[in-house]
Amino acid sequence: MAFKKEEKPSVLLLYPKTGMDMGSTVAPPHGLLTVAAPVLKAGYTVKLLDQRVESVTKNVIQDYLSTDTICVAISAMTGTQILHALKLAQYVRDLVGSKVPIVWGGCHPSVMPQQTLEHPNVDIVVNGEGDETFVELVEALDHKRSLRNIKGILYKDGQEFVKTEPRALLDVETLLPTPWELIDVEKYIHHDMYVSSRKRVLDVGQTSRGCPFNCGFCSSASLRERKWRAISVNKTLDRLEDEIKRFRLDGIWLRDDEFYINRKRATDICQGFIDRKFNVSFYTSGTRADVFMKASDQDIQVLKDAGAHTLKFGAESGSQRVLDLMQKGIK
């Protein structure tokens, strides 16, 4: 099958449907955008298809492939998304055979890397955070170098499964800006159910990564080693200010695993919302009851004045036996 030739090597990123793709639940594919940023900086072309907001058929994928495609990468979390990811992987395999490696990353491949690699439509697994790993992988594939020195991957070498050294968690202060140009951002701006008075609400991603707790139902403890890492207050506010102005937002969603872990930092960011006159309503992915109880009345007042609209508490269960079983750490 003939493919077009491009000026420089490229990678194709695919985000499959999740089975829960309705309205404001359709957030930007932040995992793929994050790993794309270093690849773009390294001088490669990056193309991204999000099956939740556009049709991704075999013919569509063919149009996005070229003779210079280095790899196709697919992100998947546990559940229905795997089914759609496997269908997309089969499209790619049908089109290019083994000429272009298929790379899997995301929550499920990182939690179950060996099982994932066993599938015939998986050539390489990025295990854990892919920000540094994926760009190194792309460069190695582009220059036909060995993959054995790339930390944080599993791959097939003939009949052998190779697992490389784990990669240390990165310094989140070094994260590059989100490459919003890879997607049509308007498709992810919603009239959100949590801040229903606002019309232009966007999930702007994380200002921190990880969580120090060990809830058994959450992938964060496994993927991020129960370590909480935060972007500095000023860098966080600068990025949010740019995105609020650039996309004319009146509401935002901060998807940190636990935004309120460091109460002073959370309050300082909220005070920055006030000082910089963001004039947005916002909510976060959730908070723990025991974490929130550490807030002072002043902390809560600043949170309210900053535009906080909704607090989602992770109650999980009314049964202490079940809470203990899931290692929630709450009474």
Side-chain angles (χ1 to χ4, degrees):
M1 187 173 293
F3 295 100
K4 61 182 179 294
K5 184 170 178 59
E6 296 182 339
E7 292 183 3
K8 55 184 178 180
S10 65
V11 300
L12 175 58
L13 308 179
L14 301 177
Y15 196 81
K17 291 186 291 187
T18 70
M20 303 177 290
D21 309 318
M22 298 172 291
S24 59
T25 64
V26 181
H30 282 293
L32 290 182
L33 290 172
T34 300
V35 299
V39 179
L40 287 167
K41 185 179 179 182
Y44 295 95
T45 296
V46 178
K47 307 168 190 177
L48 194 157
L49 288 172
D50 184 346
Q51 195 181 29
R52 299 169 304 161
V53 298
E54 56 195 317
S55 174
V56 183
T57 64
K58 186 184 293 187
N59 288 338
V60 169
I61 291 175
Q62 181 180 349
D63 289 341
Y64 276 76
L65 295 171
S66 74
T67 57
D68 295 306
T69 301
I70 297 170
C71 65
V72 176
I74 301 173
S75 179
M77 61 181 174
T78 305
T80 308
Q81 193 173 33
I82 296 174
L83 174 65
H84 297 292
L86 288 170
K87 290 180 180 178
L88 295 181
Q90 187 62 58
Y91 291 159
V92 175
R93 191 66 91 202
D94 291 344
L95 288 166
V96 298
S98 59
K99 295 178 183 177
V100 178
I102 302 174
V103 182
W104 284 59
C107 296
H108 186 79
S110 294
V111 173
M112 304 291 289
Q114 182 79 17
Q115 182 195 70
T116 302
L117 191 62
E118 289 173 359
H119 195 279
N121 290 339
V122 181
D123 298 312
I124 304 169
V125 171
V126 172
N127 191 3
E129 293 182 339
D131 312 73
E132 297 172 325
T133 304
F134 188 60
V135 66
E136 289 183 17
L137 175 61
V138 169
E139 290 175 330
L141 292 171
D142 182 27
H143 298 290
K144 307 293 191 294
R145 296 198 298 257
S146 170
L147 306 184
R148 289 183 181 267
N149 294 324
I150 299 174
K151 294 180 179 179
I153 64 170
L154 290 81
Y155 66 96
K156 293 170 181 170
D157 185 359
Q159 297 301 311
E160 180 187 6
F161 282 19
V162 179
K163 180 179 181 180
T164 66
E165 290 183 47
R167 184 178 293 274
L169 296 175
L170 59 77
D171 176 3
V172 294
E173 191 71 7
T174 66
L175 287 171
L176 297 170
T178 302
W180 292 109
E181 66 275 12
L182 293 181
I183 60 173
D184 180 355
V185 178
E186 288 298 322
K187 293 180 177 179
Y188 304 93
I189 294 175
H190 306 285
H191 184 184
D192 194 281
M193 64 179 179
Y194 288 112
V195 284
S196 56
S197 63
R198 302 301 175 113
K199 300 287 192 290
R200 294 184 60 80
V201 183
L202 176 66
D203 171 359
V204 292
Q206 294 179 315
T207 73
S208 66
R209 284 187 182 180
C211 176
F213 298 97
N214 198 33
C215 302
F217 54 80
C218 181
S219 64
S220 183
S222 172
L223 298 180
R224 289 167 175 160
E225 303 172 15
R226 297 180 65 192
K227 294 178 181 177
W228 184 79
R229 294 158 293 149
I231 300 170
S232 64
V233 171
N234 284 336
K235 187 171 182 179
T236 294
L237 290 170
D238 287 346
R239 178 171 70 81
L240 294 178
E241 184 171 21
D242 174 71
E243 291 163 348
I244 290 167
K245 290 179 178 178
R246 180 176 175 183
F247 303 121
R248 298 174 287 109
L249 304 177
D250 56 16
I252 60 174
W253 170 19
L254 300 174
R255 65 161 48 239
D256 300 45
D257 291 329
E258 177 45 283
F259 178 75
Y260 304 99
I261 287 290
N262 183 322
R263 180 54 60 179
K264 182 179 185 309
R265 175 182 178 272
T267 299
D268 287 347
I269 289 174
C270 290
Q271 186 62 51
F273 278 41
I274 299 168
D275 295 343
R276 298 195 188 200
K277 298 180 172 57
F278 282 179
N279 190 29
V280 294
S281 292
F282 72 94
Y283 64 100
T284 60
S285 290
T287 187
R288 292 171 59 96
D290 54 352
V291 169
F292 187 74
M293 289 301 291
K294 295 177 182 178
S296 67
D297 290 347
Q298 179 61 26
D299 291 330
I300 297 172
Q301 187 62 54
V302 172
L303 184 64
K304 180 180 179 180
D305 293 344
H309 184 278
T310 299
L311 285 168
K312 297 188 289 183
F313 291 96
E316 322 307 353
S317 175
S319 162
Q320 190 62 51
R321 181 184 68 83
V322 175
L323 288 174
D324 292 344
L325 184 66
M326 66 175 67
Q327 299 175 308
K328 182 68 183 179
I330 286 180
K331 299 297 181 185

